[in-house]
């Protein structure tokens, strides 16, 4: 696939573009991709004169003076322009396409319902021969709003664009810890032979945040923690961590192997009230009350503007799932994300089984704590917790941590996402069936909520989340 020449962002007046896409693009260009820069087009319903200035400002906030002066960066800023268009109107889209040079990428930074309408309009342009063959589509999460709408969108897309030109992006796959996991598993001998139900006791994938609602009620009220974080991000990360080894790191094998994991995934024992092996309840949901997080007073979620308390939107969700395959059957996987959490954990923790024999002579009585591998999502940290010492050691048993920090990647998570888009590499994107599986699993969580057996629990902002969630890290 040839490198993109133009990137059009639909919904470019929105928060995602300013806060994440433009800084990400800046880091990507500074890393030399694409070498000649990109023609960037912002598009939205309203006229805008200042798009190039917005790009300049976002790039300047992210890059050094030297990086800003790079020819690819300058070219991208200087050629940035705005095209006013209704992305759901085929005639507006046709007029936009007439004004840009291909190969072309269309980035939908739009709500899912609008993305669907826009793809319908593009499909009509395709049918009338007015959509260039090599157009690439980039779709943000959420991909659809439930299983049916994700299926509809997939079949619509399949009718006019091949899978290798569709990027269902998930920026968590661009976070440093997740990027590093590939080499950690597959470039070493010591982990992969243990990567199975015989040697791993449980896996925890936790992304708790200090941030609360931050004025996003319009989006979050209809979403909640499970839909926002588990349906997409945490399940995709889980699939990557637990997939079978691919024979190649490409857009055929990785999306296939991750979809295979998701197909085998179900709620722990299919019972929301059941407990996993470690005593963790299968489903927990919570909502924060007023408190102090990181020295900042935070109002109760229900007192935020635009919140309807009766809607019972959860700001914390924790589920235990099982990947029911030969490799993973019986291993609880805890997926958890909460807002307004004090001292939040953001990591993938792999807890190994204990050795088969407990020595009476070990100075501390009872079984030794398990070995744990921890990989931070954002902080480039890798820790391996092990036991050392013993009966002949005057220090007794010692818990040791082999700890290292990888260098910063230079690209933000969105920088990596955009790099893959611009280079045409779909290995770290979500395949159509992978997106549908996320919604199938979410429906099991929603059914657990609806069963009345999983009460919405209050937790104080700044606390560690609902007490009954029972994860202490
Ligand atoms: O920390 P990051 O990379 O911004 O990712 C977390 C965010 O991911 C987004 O996709 C969610 O919608 C947010 O609610 C969440 O805060």
């Amino acid at each position: 696939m040839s490198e993109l020449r133009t990137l059009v962002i639909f919904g470019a007046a929105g928060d995602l573009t300013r806060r994440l896409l433009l800084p990400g693009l800046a880091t990507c260009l500074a890393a030399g991709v694409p070498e000649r820069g990109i023609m960037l087009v912002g598009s939205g319903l309203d006229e805008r004169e200042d798009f190039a200035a917005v790009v300049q400002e976002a790039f300047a906030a992210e890059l050094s003076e030297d990086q800003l002066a790079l020819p690819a960066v300058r070219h991208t800023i200087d050629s940035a322009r705005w095209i006013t268009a209704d992305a759901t109107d085929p005639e507006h889209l046709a007029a936009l396409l007439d004004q840009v040079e291909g190969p072309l990428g269309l980035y939908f930074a739009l709500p899912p319902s609008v993305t669907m309408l826009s793809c319908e309009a593009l499909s009509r342009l395709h049918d009338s021969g007015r959509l260039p063959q090599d157009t690439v589509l980039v779709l943000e999460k959420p991909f659809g709003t439930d299983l049916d709408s994700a299926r509809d969108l997939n079949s619509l897309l399949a009718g006019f664009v091949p899978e290798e030109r569709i990027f269902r992006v998930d920026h968590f796959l661009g976070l440093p810890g997740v990027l590093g996991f590939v080499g950690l598993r597959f470039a070493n001998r010591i982990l992969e032979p243990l990567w199975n139900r015989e040697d791993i006791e449980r896996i925890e994938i936790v992304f708790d945040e200090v941030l609360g609602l931050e004025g996003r009620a319009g989006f979050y009220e209809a979403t909640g923690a499970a839909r926002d974080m588990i349906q997409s991000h945490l399940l995709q990360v889980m699939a990557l961590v637990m997939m079978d080894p691919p024979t190649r790191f490409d857009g055929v094998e990785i999306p296939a192997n991750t979809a295979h994991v998701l197909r085998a995934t179900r709620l722990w024992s299919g019972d929301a009230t059941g407990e996993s092996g470690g005593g963790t309840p299968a489903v927990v949901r919570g909502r924060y009350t007023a408190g102090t997080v990181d020295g900042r007073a935070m109002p109760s979620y229900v007192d935020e503007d635009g919140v309807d308390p009766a809607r019972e939107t959860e700001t914390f969700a924790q589920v235990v799932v099982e990947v029911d395959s030969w490799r993973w059957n019986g291993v609880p996987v805890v997926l958890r994300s909460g807002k307004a959490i004090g001292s939040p954990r953001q990591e993938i923790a792999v807890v190994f089984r204990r050795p088969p024999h407990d020595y009476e002579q070990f100075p501390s009585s009872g079984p030794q704590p398990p070995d744990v591998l921890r990989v931070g999502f954002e902080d480039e940290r890798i820790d391996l917790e092990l036991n050392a010492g013993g009966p002949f050691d005057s220090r007794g048993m010692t818990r040791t941590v082999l700890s290292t920090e990888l260098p910063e990647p230079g690209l933000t998570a969105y920088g990596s996402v955009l790099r893959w888009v611009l280079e045409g590499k779909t290995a770290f994107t979500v395949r159509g069936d992978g997106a549908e599986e996320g919604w199938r699993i979410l429906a099991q969580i929603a059914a657990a909520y609806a069963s009345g057996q999983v009460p919405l629990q209050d937790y104080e902002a700044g606390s560690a989340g609902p007490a009954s969630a029972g994860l202490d890290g």
Side-chain angles (χ1 to χ4, degrees), residues 16 19-20 140-141 170-172 175 207 209 211-212 216 219-220 223 228-229 232-233 337 339 346 378 413-414:
L16 180 76
R19 231 168 32 83
L20 297 166
E140 259 298 328
K141 69 137 233 203
D170 189 314
H171 82 280
F172 266 51
L175 289 175
F207 194 89
E209 300 179 275
L211 296 180
R216 294 164 82 210
F219 157 72
Y220 201 78
T223 307
D228 185 32
M229 295 297 295
S232 53
H233 301 319
S337 184
K339 290 201 182 284
Q346 297 187 343
E378 308 225 38
Y414 267 97

Side-chain angles (χ1 to χ4, degrees), residues 10 85-98 106 116-128 130-131:
F10 293 121
D86 174 354
T88 66
D89 182 327
E91 293 317 313
H92 282 214
L93 289 172
L96 181 145
L97 293 176
D98 281 344
L106 302 177
M116 180 78 182
L117 294 174
S118 186
C119 289
E120 279 168 4
L122 284 175
S123 150
R124 264 179 261 148
L125 288 187
H126 168 267
D127 293 347
S128 56
R130 290 186 291 169
L131 183 70

Side-chain angles (χ1 to χ4, degrees), residues 28 48 61 123 129 147 150 155 205 245 263 278 310 365 428 440:
C28 181
R48 280 196 84 155
S123 150
L147 181 54
S155 66
I205 301 179
R263 282 189 64 161
S365 62
F428 264 40
R440 180 188 58 76

Side-chain angles (χ1 to χ4, degrees), residues 48-124:
R48 280 196 84 155
E49 302 285 315
D50 61 343
F51 186 60
V54 171
V55 176
Q56 159 81 35
E57 197 183 315
F59 280 25
E62 194 65 34
L63 303 180
S64 68
E65 290 288 317
D66 287 352
Q67 288 174 319
L68 261 185
L70 291 168
V73 175
R74 284 286 11 133
H75 167 73
T76 305
I77 297 172
D78 295 341
S79 63
R81 67 196 167 113
W82 184 264
I83 299 181
T84 304
D86 174 354
T88 66
D89 182 327
E91 293 317 313
H92 282 214
L93 289 172
L96 181 145
L97 293 176
D98 281 344
Q99 298 174 61
V100 297
E101 266 176 61
L104 173 68
L106 302 177
Y107 198 119
F108 298 90
L110 296 169
S113 53
V114 186
T115 298
M116 180 78 182
L117 294 174
S118 186
C119 289
E120 279 168 4
L122 284 175
S123 150
R124 264 179 261 148

